[in-house]
Amino acid sequence: MNGEYGRSWIMKTGETGSRPSWDAYFISIADMVKQRSTCLRRQVGAIVVKDKRILSTGYNGAPSGFAHCSEVGCEREKHDILPGERHELCRGIHAEQNAIVQAAAFGVSIRNSTLYCTHYPCALCSKLIINAGITRLVVAGDYPDDLSKALLEEGGIEVKVLPDTLS
C-alpha cells in the first residue's frame, strides 16, 4: 500500500475529514493481511468482523507446516488452469477459508458477521461463507466465478463491492 491510499480511498467513498468509513478501514486491513500470502498467482486477504471488532484474519497459501508455493511452484500454473476453474488442483487454502477455519479453531462464533475480502470469493468460499452464518460480504476486487455470485444471492448474503482501488 502506498502513502496516498487513505486519501484516495476517502475521496472515492465520499468521506470527509481524515477518518475512513468502517468499510474502507476494514478492507484496508484485509489488504495488509494479504501481504502474508505465499500464492504465486494472486494475493488475497480476508478478515471477519462483528460489531466493528476483528474476529479472525486469513490469507491464501499452503496449509500450516507445508512448503509454500513460492518454494515448490504452482500446481495451477503447471497445468495451465484458468482463474475460476478447478479449485481443487491447488496446494493453497483461500483467504476466506483460512479466516473461517481460524475462527473455528479458536472457538470464535462468526455468525451474523461481515467478511471483508480483497477479492470476490470463489464458489467454494461462497458456500463456506453461507454455512458459517456470515451475513454480509464486502469486497474490493472481482473474480471470474458467476456461480459464486448466484450462490451468494440465493443465500441472502448482502454483498457490497467497493471500487477496485487496492494494490
Side-chain angles (χ1 to χ4, degrees), residues 19-159:
R19 294 181 69 185
S21 69
W22 286 109
D23 285 345
Y25 172 71
F26 288 123
I27 204 71
S28 69
I29 294 171
D31 191 54
M32 177 62 76
V33 170
K34 84 176 185 184
Q35 294 180 34
R36 292 281 307 154
S37 170
T38 58
C39 180
L40 298 173
R41 294 181 91 179
R42 180 186 317 260
Q43 291 187 313
V44 180
I47 64 171
V48 180
V49 173
K50 186 173 182 178
D51 298 327
K52 299 178 184 164
R53 302 291 180 255
I54 298 171
L55 303 178
S56 181
T57 67
Y59 53 87
N60 57 329
S64 296
F66 280 53
H68 299 294
C69 299
S70 56
E71 299 166 333
V72 298
C74 175
E75 286 297 315
R76 295 175 63 79
E77 287 292 326
K78 289 176 191 173
H79 300 289
D80 294 321
I81 299 169
L82 297 173
E85 297 180 7
R86 306 290 316 267
H87 297 288
E88 75 279 7
L89 296 178
C90 179
R91 294 176 53 80
I93 299 172
H94 292 185
E96 305 93 324
Q97 295 167 347
N98 266 328
I100 291 168
V101 167
Q102 289 303 310
F106 291 97
V108 176
S109 173
I110 57 175
R111 184 164 299 287
N112 298 316
S113 64
T114 298
L115 186 134
Y116 290 86
C117 194
T118 58
H119 294 76
Y120 210 97
C122 70
L124 297 173
C125 289
S126 292
K127 291 184 270 187
L128 286 173
I129 289 166
I130 293 163
N131 274 7
I134 294 168
T135 56
R136 184 169 181 257
L137 173 67
V138 178
V139 298
D142 204 9
Y143 187 73
D145 192 332
D146 292 334
L147 178 58
S148 172
K149 293 173 175 105
L151 289 168
L152 292 167
E153 183 177 338
E154 184 176 345
I157 307 300
E158 176 190 342
V159 178

